[in-house]
Amino acid sequence: IFLVTGSVEAYSNFEGNEFVFEKLYGGSIINYRSFFMEDIVSVNYRCSENCKTLHLSYQKLSQIMVSHEKF
């Protein structure tokens, strides 16, 4: 998921306390580590202002990679 505009917070709850461990802004990729590592991770995200996002599926990315030699 590409964050086009706005801002998003990645956060977790630990022992009754909330921790924001990452703030993302326009131009960021949400949860790219999980996508490229093919790892299942549970992370909480919330928009801290209005956001516009774009979604790129793994299947579509695979098609792009095959058609572009540099990938």
Side-chain angles (χ1 to χ4, degrees), residues 18-52:
E18 181 180 285
F19 296 95
V20 174
F21 56 87
E22 188 171 25
K23 289 187 178 188
L24 304 170
Y25 301 94
S28 298
I29 300 173
I30 298 173
N31 206 11
Y32 70 91
R33 290 179 195 96
S34 178
F35 183 83
F36 287 109
M37 302 301 239
E38 296 182 39
D39 193 12
I40 297 172
V41 177
S42 178
V43 177
N44 298 308
Y45 289 95
R46 66 175 165 229
C47 296
S48 48
E49 60 184 74
N50 289 333
C51 295
K52 180 178 179 181

